[in-house]
Structures are given as C-alpha cells and as structure tokens.
C-alpha cells in the first residue's frame, strides 16, 4: 500500500484488526479519518501518528509537565482568525518563529507557528525545527503557503518595483526582529539577488509581527516592510510579490489529539476558512492539515 489515503479494508490490514473493529473505532471517534462523498478514508500519516501516540511507555518514565494552552511563534492572520472563530480555547502569543520555537522547546506552549527558510538549502521549517526541538516528541502540521513580498504605502510613492530598488531606496524600514521568519527570508532573497543583506536602511522600526509592519507603514512611521500579501491587503497598501513561504504548526504529539487542537483543525477544513483565505488574499491552503514530520 503506497497511497497516502487508506480505505477501511486497507487500514484494517495495516493495523491487523478486523474491519468491524475499524468501524467501531470510527463510531467512537477514536481513530483519525475523513469522509469523502460518504466514503471513509484514513490518511496514512495520521494513522502513523495515532499509533505512535498510543505506544506503551516504559514504566517509571517521567510524565511531561502540562503545557499552557497557548499557540506561540510566528503570526499569521488566517490562523489568528481561525483560532478565534473555532472556539478552540487556545490563546495566542505570537512574536516570531525563533522566539516561539525557544518557548515551545522549554514547554511554554502547546504549539508553535513557524515559517523559517534554511539559507543553505532553501527548505522551509524542517531544518530549523529539527535543530530547535532535539528530543521533543513534536509533529509538524502544514497550515498554508503564503505569498510574501514588499509592503509599501498606497500608490507606491517611492516607485519601488524590485528588490534592487528597495535596497537602494533611502527610507525607514519596518523590520522584523532577528530570528523571525520574515527577517530571515528577506535577507535570504536579497543574497540570492547579490544584494547586501544588512546595513542598507537609514533607520529601522522594529515590528513584532506582520500586521505591525503594515500598521507602521500606514501611519507613516516607515516607508517599506516585508510581509505576506494578506497584511498589505488588510491595510490597503501596495504589495510587490517576491516569494511564497511555507507556514507550519509544530505541536507536541500528545496534544495533537486533544480537543483544543482537533477543534482548530476541524474548523480549518470548513468552507468558512476557505472563504476567509480568499478574502485575505495570497493564501494556498490546499495542503492544510498534512503531517510534514512526526519526530521520533
């Protein structure tokens, strides 16, 4: 069996259970599945995750302390909206991927939003998460691809069209703090264009998250920033697309199956979230919910 989706007979064979037992687990909501036109399908990655969570642990192994019901890490406008609308009872404390991964590794949150490109490979999230979470039984779930680029005042008064224009402009830059995904991605793109990645701007205003970037520009406190299209659209600003990033959610394995995160995932698969993504603009949510990595 190589398909990422299994049928009832296939998952029964995979788990070495009878088909009646599979239907019983589904009816009690004890096994992850999806219904497509009335047919039950079982994502292989979710079944593997479900098995890992239920593995018998050696006696005497210390229990991990309870994490606070908080999603930390990078800010995303669609995720913020989904958390609020889903009623999942999770709070948000979002101040950048780097800070969030550190907080998550120390047990300060149940989940962490990340969108960190690895400058050496161009791969998003995997390398950064693996370095930061050694020994943490975490699962990385895909949230969305996001169109990201330069954010400028409405009407683009500085006439910026390219990264080179931006690098040569004499303006105040709404910058993300070091360690934030946007901070790392912008400098990665500039190096790819052969542009100096630091020390270019007359002055900087630090923005805690992406909405702050747009807010500083709208208020005239900065002349440019780097953020997803959704942030520019929300504030009626000019947007110059440069790249698509990958936004994932890292969550401790045992918390993946708990009601708060499952409520968020359930809502994230609803038509309401798809409509909101279209309204915000610059989102590709076709892979939302896919398990990108299940740490041992």
């Amino acid at each position: 069996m190589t398909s990422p989706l299994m049928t009832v007979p296939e998952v029964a064979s995979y788990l070495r259970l009878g088909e009646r037992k599979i239907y019983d687990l589904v009816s009690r909501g004890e096994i992850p599945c999806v219904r497509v036109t009335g047919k039950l399908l079982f994502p292989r990655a979710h079944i593997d995750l479900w098995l890992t969570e239920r593995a018998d642990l050696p006696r005497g192994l210390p229990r991990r302390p309870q994490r606070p019901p908080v999603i930390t890490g990078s800010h995303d406008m669609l995720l913020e909206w989904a958390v609020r609308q889903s009623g999942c009872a999770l709070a948000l404390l979002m101040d950048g991927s780097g800070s969030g991964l550190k907080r998550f590794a120390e047990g300060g949150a149940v989940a962490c939003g990340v969108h960190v490109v690895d400058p050496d490979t161009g791969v998003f999230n995997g390398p950064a998460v693996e370095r930061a979470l050694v020994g943490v039984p975490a699962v990385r779930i895909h949230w969305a691809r996001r169109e990201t680029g330069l954010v400028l005042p409405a009407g683009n008064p500085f006439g910026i069209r390219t990264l080179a224009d931006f690098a040569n402009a004499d303006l105040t830059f709404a910058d993300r703090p070091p360690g934030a995904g946007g901070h790392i991605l912008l400098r990665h793109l500039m190096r790819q264009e052969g542009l100096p990645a630091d020390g270019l701007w007359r002055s900087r205003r630090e923005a805690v998250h992406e909405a702050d970037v747009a807010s500083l520009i709208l208020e005239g406190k900065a002349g440019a920033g780097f953020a997803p299209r959704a942030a520019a659209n929300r504030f009626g600003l000019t947007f110059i697309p440069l790249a698509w990033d990958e936004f994932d959610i890292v969550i401790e394995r045992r918390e993946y199956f708990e009601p708060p995160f499952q409520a968020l995932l359930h809502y994230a698969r609803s038509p309401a979230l798809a409509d909101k993504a279209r309204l915000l603009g610059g989102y590709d949510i076709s892979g939302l919910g896919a398990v990108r990595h299940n740490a041992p």
Side-chain angles (χ1 to χ4, degrees), residues 144-187:
R145 295 178 69 242
R146 308 182 307 171
E147 192 177 24
T148 305
L150 297 176
V151 180
L152 306 161
N156 193 5
F158 303 107
I160 293 172
R161 302 295 176 189
T162 66
L163 262 181
D165 293 340
F166 165 70
N168 293 321
D170 184 17
L171 47 77
T172 299
F173 178 53
D175 202 2
R176 302 295 312 289
H183 182 104
I184 296 168
L185 179 56
L186 173 61
R187 285 150 178 84

Side-chain angles (χ1 to χ4, degrees), residues 15-272:
L15 298 177
R16 299 184 180 182
L17 298 173
E19 292 183 27
R20 180 174 294 180
K21 180 61 175 178
I22 298 300
Y23 283 115
D24 183 48
L25 290 170
V26 169
S27 68
R28 299 202 305 264
E30 294 182 7
I31 190 170
C33 68
V34 294
R35 295 181 185 271
V36 180
T37 62
K39 183 177 182 179
L40 289 174
L41 294 174
F42 301 81
R44 182 183 302 275
H46 291 193
I47 295 299
D48 289 341
L49 177 58
W50 181 77
L51 283 172
T52 305
E53 172 63 15
R54 279 151 182 77
D56 289 333
L57 297 176
R59 290 184 179 181
L61 191 69
R63 293 181 61 85
R64 292 181 180 271
Q66 190 71 31
R67 291 171 175 265
V70 170
I71 299 177
T72 189
S74 183
H75 177 258
D76 176 70
M77 296 176 74
L78 184 62
L79 177 59
E80 178 184 16
W81 183 85
V83 166
R84 185 170 61 249
Q85 295 296 119
S86 66
C88 66
L90 293 171
L92 294 172
L93 179 58
M94 301 182 130
D95 55 2
S97 297
S99 297
L101 282 171
K102 183 177 185 295
R103 185 178 293 114
F104 179 80
E106 294 171 349
V110 302
C112 176
V114 292
H115 68 110
V116 181
V117 68
D118 179 54
D120 295 328
T121 63
V123 174
F124 277 91
N125 302 327
V129 169
E130 290 168 22
R131 285 193 299 267
L133 302 183
V134 175
V136 179
V139 183
R140 181 161 55 90
I141 309 297
H142 183 60
W143 179 254
R145 295 178 69 242
R146 308 182 307 171
E147 192 177 24
T148 305
L150 297 176
V151 180
L152 306 161
N156 193 5
F158 303 107
I160 293 172
R161 302 295 176 189
T162 66
L163 262 181
D165 293 340
F166 165 70
N168 293 321
D170 184 17
L171 47 77
T172 299
F173 178 53
D175 202 2
R176 302 295 312 289
H183 182 104
I184 296 168
L185 179 56
L186 173 61
R187 285 150 178 84
H188 173 65
L189 295 174
M190 294 181 75
R191 282 190 293 268
Q192 286 185 320
E193 295 290 324
L195 300 168
D198 278 300
L200 296 175
W201 302 286
R202 179 185 65 197
S203 61
R204 297 180 184 175
R205 297 291 300 272
E206 190 165 292
V208 175
H209 54 64
E210 293 152 347
D212 289 342
V213 170
S215 180
L216 286 171
I217 296 168
L218 183 68
E219 294 167 3
K221 297 176 181 177
F226 183 76
R229 179 184 288 275
N233 288 353
R234 177 179 176 182
F235 290 87
L237 301 172
T238 295
F239 179 77
I240 306 294
L242 296 176
W244 285 82
D245 74 8
E246 300 272 347
F247 193 102
D248 294 336
I249 299 174
V250 180
I251 184 165
E252 190 177 47
R253 188 158 50 230
R254 70 178 180 184
E255 297 290 347
Y256 175 88
F257 292 102
E258 292 300 313
F261 193 70
Q262 285 298 308
L264 176 61
L265 278 185
H266 179 75
Y267 188 80
R269 297 186 178 106
S270 71

